[in-house]
């Protein structure tokens, strides 16, 4: 008996018994409908639900599909599914379940029009239990990209749908991913446990508790007190705390590969004072991006000089945004129609980085005589203002892997984000639209590169984008509790199942 008790602490920490890990997030995961958006949290949708394919950082690999083939005309994708797949309730995950999910997604097609693929699907059907066929009306370069996204092309057990639909809700979040949402208490916590039917790597964690701590200072205090084992995710911890805690030998700080481009959008709409390109050029050259990167972004991620990371396919030849040049900016301002009216710069109220950068921009622009009114806005209204074009200047980000560049430029075609609103009255708008449509329906790499070069040159000449950085996701964990944690490829891909102890 004494011998057993002596080794009991080690047995309890073994994979046989599993480990309990605690982290924190700003809000609850939501009801986790895989086919809908906020308040569903993308990290949790990716934990519970799988896609046909996933992006591994370099290429697309099978997730539910073990392989696929694409027809010569680029319009038919045939997916061959892995054997013996099941949802967490043990119901079969077969091609018929995939078809049911596509039907549910397309039943709510209007909600997903920001994704180009939803406008290209001719049909989606099961050929047999292990073969699924997706037919497009035209070739679409971003097909695999958009099938791998956190939402909406992830799959729920058909038995969890309501009348074969998900647009009005679901009965329960039953997926096939690595995790199951066991319990949720609004404003307090979400508890996840491993999915015993998951075919991937089995987690050594027996329970993952995500505490709900909206205030970032509360999260970092909880981490330092030992109440949390790991913090990961965009805005989970401040840059100052990241750098401060990186010096503590108890903790391991980690960063993801570069994700989307954090940038400022200037509205060229004819109803805004910023419709004048001379004023937009003056704005671009009056803002000291180097100082913002050094003093506010703290040099953690790479400084950006173009809308897309030049390491992305078809983006290596982008022109750079104009350099900081107040004297040249003053010349542009004199040629403009600016009449000393205050320009509205909109930022997210609870985002300290955006607030501080907004104040720096206000200070820079005041030096050449441009007035800026800062508009602090709650997140839900911030994105509505982006969509509605209710801004002169507003912060934005491209979306990172695997959205960029194809899916991001596709979204410029619909009034869903800041880009459509800012671009719609440009003299070059028709040419921009034509180039985007050509790119999205093209598969020849030489033609793609030529059209991307033209498009990115036009966007640069429009003087509506000012890039700051190619952002990274920050993380930190307690080395006394965790041996290693692997960042996912996507911003919201949290691979807790791969955590090592």
């Amino acid at each position: 008996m004494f011998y057993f008790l002596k080794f009991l602490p080690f047995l309890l920490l073994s994979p046989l018994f599993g480990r309990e890990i605690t982290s924190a997030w700003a809000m609850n995961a939501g009801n986790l409908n895989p086919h809908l958006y906020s308040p569903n949290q993308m990290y949790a949708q990716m934990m519970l639900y799988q896609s046909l394919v996933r992006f591994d950082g370099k290429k697309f690999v099978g997730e539910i599909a073990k392989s696929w083939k694409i027809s010569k005309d680029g319009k038919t994708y045939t997916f061959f599914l892995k054997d013996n797949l099941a949802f967490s309730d043990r119901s079969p995950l077969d091609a018929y379940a995939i078809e049911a999910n596509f039907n549910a997604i397309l039943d709510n097609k209007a909600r997903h029009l920001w994704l180009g693929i939803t406008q290209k699907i001719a049909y989606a059907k099961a050929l047999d239990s292990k073969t699924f066929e997706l037919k497009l009306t035209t070739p679409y370069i971003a097909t695999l990209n958009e099938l791998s996204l956190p939402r909406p092309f992830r799959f729920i057990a058909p038995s969890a749908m309501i009348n074969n639909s998900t647009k009005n809700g679901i009965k329960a979040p039953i997926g096939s991913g690595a995790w199951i949402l066991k319990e949720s208490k609004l404003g307090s916590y979400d508890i996840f446990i491993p999915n015993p039917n998951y075919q991937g790597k089995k987690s050594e964690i027996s329970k993952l508790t995500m505490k709900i701590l909206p205030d970032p200072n509360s999260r970092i205090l909880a981490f330092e007190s030992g109440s949390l084992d790991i913090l990961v995710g965009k805005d989970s911890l401040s840059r100052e705390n990241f750098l401060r805690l990186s010096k503590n030998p108890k903790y391991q700080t980690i960063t993801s590969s570069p994700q989307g481009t954090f940038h400022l959008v200037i509205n060229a709409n004819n109803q805004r004072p910023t419709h004048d390109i001379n004023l937009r050029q003056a704005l671009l050259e009056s803002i000291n991006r180097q100082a913002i990167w050094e003093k506010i972004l703290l040099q953690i991620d790479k400084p950006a000089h173009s809308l897309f990371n030049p390491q992305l396919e078809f983006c290596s030849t982008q022109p750079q945004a104009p350099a900081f040049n107040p004297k040249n900016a003053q010349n542009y301002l004199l040629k403009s129609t600016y009449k000393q009216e205050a320009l509205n710069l909109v930022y997210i109220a609870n985002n300290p980085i955006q607030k501080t950068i907004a104040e720096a921009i206000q200070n820079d622009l005041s030096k050449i005589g441009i007035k800026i009114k800062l508009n602090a806005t709650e997140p839900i209204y911030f994105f509505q203002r982006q969509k509605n074009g209710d801004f002169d200047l507003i912060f934005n980000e491209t979306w990172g892997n695997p959205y960029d560049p194809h899916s991001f430029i596709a979204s410029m075609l619909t009034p869903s984000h800041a880009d459509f609103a800012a671009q719609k009255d440009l003299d070059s708008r028709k040419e921009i639209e034509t180039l985007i449509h050509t790119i999205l329906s093209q598969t020849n790499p030489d033609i793609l590169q030529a059209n991307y070069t033209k498009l990115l040159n036009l966007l640069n000449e429009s003087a509506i984008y000012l890039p700051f950085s190619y952002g990274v996701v920050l993380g930190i964990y307690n080395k006394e509790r965790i041996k290693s944690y692997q960042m996912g490829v996507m911003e919201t891909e949290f691979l807790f199942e791969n955590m090592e102890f």
Side-chain angles (χ1 to χ4, degrees):
M1 181 69 176
F2 173 77
Y3 184 82
F4 175 78
L5 290 174
K6 179 179 178 181
F7 288 95
L8 182 60
F10 300 97
L11 290 170
L12 289 174
L13 290 175
S14 73
L16 179 65
F17 288 86
R19 298 182 183 242
E20 295 188 4
I21 292 296
T22 304
S23 187
W25 197 248
M27 61 191 74
N28 284 95
N31 67 3
L32 292 185
N33 186 329
H35 305 155
L36 290 181
Y37 303 92
S38 181
N40 298 289
Q41 298 299 293
M42 285 194 283
Y43 84 86
Q45 288 170 306
M46 294 190 73
M47 288 172 64
L48 267 68
Y49 301 106
Q50 291 182 291
S51 50
L52 283 165
V53 296
R54 71 177 291 269
F55 184 64
D56 70 359
K58 295 181 179 178
K59 62 184 184 303
F60 291 97
V61 297
E63 187 163 51
I64 289 172
K66 66 180 177 183
S67 62
W68 60 91
K69 66 178 182 180
I70 306 170
S71 62
K72 288 183 179 180
D73 65 5
K75 294 193 289 188
T76 304
Y77 289 70
T78 306
F79 296 92
F80 305 97
L81 307 190
K82 294 177 180 178
D83 297 329
N84 304 315
L85 293 172
F87 292 101
S88 59
D89 66 350
R90 299 184 182 178
S91 61
L93 171 48
D94 57 18
Y96 300 107
I98 303 298
E99 179 181 336
N101 274 263
F102 267 80
N103 289 340
I105 294 165
L106 295 175
D107 183 47
N108 195 20
K109 181 178 177 179
R111 186 66 184 85
H112 311 300
L113 288 178
W114 66 276
L115 276 177
I117 191 174
T118 59
Q119 302 172 56
K120 301 275 188 178
I121 295 174
Y123 64 76
K125 66 180 181 181
L127 302 183
D128 55 46
S129 64
K130 293 179 62 177
T131 312
F132 174 76
E133 184 173 277
L134 180 65
K135 179 75 172 183
L136 307 180
T137 55
T138 67
Y140 184 56
I141 186 66
T143 296
L144 295 178
N145 303 64
E146 295 185 1
L147 292 180
S148 71
L149 299 181
R151 54 196 184 194
F153 291 101
R154 289 180 180 257
F155 307 113
I156 189 171
S159 61
M161 297 180 186
I162 299 173
N163 298 324
N164 301 315
S165 174
T166 55
K167 66 181 178 182
N168 295 317
I170 58 174
K171 296 175 185 176
I174 301 172
S176 60
W179 300 91
I180 295 171
L181 179 63
K182 180 184 179 183
E183 185 180 346
S184 180
K185 184 176 181 181
L186 186 63
S188 296
Y189 58 79
D190 293 314
I191 295 175
F192 301 89
I193 59 173
N195 174 7
N197 295 312
Y198 177 59
Q199 281 204 354
K201 182 179 179 180
K202 303 300 180 184
S203 175
E204 295 182 29
I205 302 170
S206 60
K207 182 172 80 169
L208 171 66
T209 301
M210 193 70 75
K211 293 185 177 181
I212 308 307
L213 298 173
D215 178 46
N217 291 324
S218 297
R219 290 195 292 270
I220 206 68
L221 287 171
F223 178 79
E224 290 191 84
S225 72
S227 298
L228 305 179
D229 304 306
I230 182 170
L231 280 173
V232 66
K234 185 181 172 187
D235 301 327
S236 281
L237 70 161
S238 71
R239 289 162 180 264
E240 290 82 2
N241 281 321
F242 178 84
L243 292 177
R244 176 176 64 84
L245 294 177
S246 68
K247 300 173 185 176
N248 189 323
K250 278 181 58 177
Y251 307 130
Q252 180 65 55
T253 52
I254 49 175
T255 60
S256 71
S257 58
Q259 295 292 321
T261 306
F262 175 50
H263 60 277
L264 187 71
V265 180
I266 307 173
N267 196 346
N269 185 288
N270 285 338
Q271 304 305 311
R272 315 298 300 196
T274 45
H275 77 277
D276 184 339
I277 191 169
N278 285 305
L279 177 57
R280 299 200 302 274
Q281 289 283 8
L283 292 167
L284 293 180
E285 298 193 29
S286 300
I287 297 170
N288 191 339
R289 291 184 294 142
Q290 182 69 18
I292 288 170
W293 179 72
E294 290 178 358
K295 297 175 182 178
I296 302 175
L297 298 176
L298 302 180
Q299 307 176 48
I300 292 172
D301 31 31
K302 291 183 178 179
H305 303 289
S306 52
L307 181 59
F308 292 112
N309 190 324
Q311 294 182 352
L312 291 168
E313 190 175 24
F314 308 116
C315 297
S316 60
T317 58
Q318 291 174 91
Q320 295 195 355
F324 176 56
N325 189 335
K327 184 176 180 180
N328 205 37
Q330 188 70 63
N331 292 332
Y332 277 119
L333 188 61
L334 291 172
K335 290 188 287 184
S336 77
T337 57
Y338 179 63
K339 298 176 181 178
Q340 294 298 305
E341 62 268 53
L343 306 180
N344 287 297
L345 196 170
V346 183
Y347 69 93
I348 297 176
N350 63 356
N351 186 313
I353 290 289
Q354 287 193 13
K355 180 178 185 293
T356 307
I357 293 176
E359 291 169 344
I361 290 172
Q362 183 184 49
N363 182 59
D364 282 345
L365 295 179
S366 70
K367 294 175 182 177
I368 69 161
I370 297 177
K371 298 176 182 177
I372 293 291
K373 179 182 178 182
L374 301 183
N375 286 203
T377 309
E378 293 304 310
I380 188 169
Y381 298 113
F382 175 87
F383 293 109
Q384 285 179 0
R385 292 185 72 162
Q386 277 198 349
K387 179 179 178 179
N388 297 334
D390 185 15
F391 63 90
D392 295 314
L393 303 94
I394 199 165
F395 292 110
N396 197 25
E397 291 182 73
T398 69
W399 304 331
N401 289 318
Y403 299 87
D404 290 345
H406 305 316
S407 297
F408 191 82
I409 67 163
S411 75
M412 294 176 180
L413 297 173
T414 59
S416 56
H417 300 87
D419 306 273
F420 179 90
Q423 294 177 20
K424 73 183 187 71
D425 287 336
L426 290 172
D427 292 340
S428 57
R429 176 63 187 177
K430 287 186 179 179
E431 188 176 358
I432 287 171
E433 289 182 358
T434 299
L435 285 167
I436 293 173
H437 283 298
T438 301
I439 287 167
L440 296 178
S441 299
Q442 185 56 246
T443 57
N444 183 299
D446 293 331
I447 297 174
L448 280 165
Q449 183 61 73
N451 281 282
Y452 257 114
T453 299
K454 291 177 185 176
L455 173 65
L456 296 175
N457 277 326
L458 281 177
L459 293 177
N460 185 68
E461 290 166 6
S462 71
I464 61 174
Y465 295 110
L466 186 67
F468 295 114
S469 68
Y470 303 122
V472 295
V473 177
L474 307 181
I476 187 169
Y477 59 83
N478 188 329
K479 290 194 289 187
E480 296 174 357
R481 293 279 294 150
I482 299 167
K483 181 180 177 182
S484 71
Y485 172 80
Q486 175 189 352
M487 283 282 194
V489 172
M490 280 189 268
E491 185 178 289
T492 55
E493 186 177 32
F494 298 170
L495 301 175
F496 291 116
E497 62 271 22
N498 293 341
M499 192 177 282
E500 295 182 350
F501 300 93

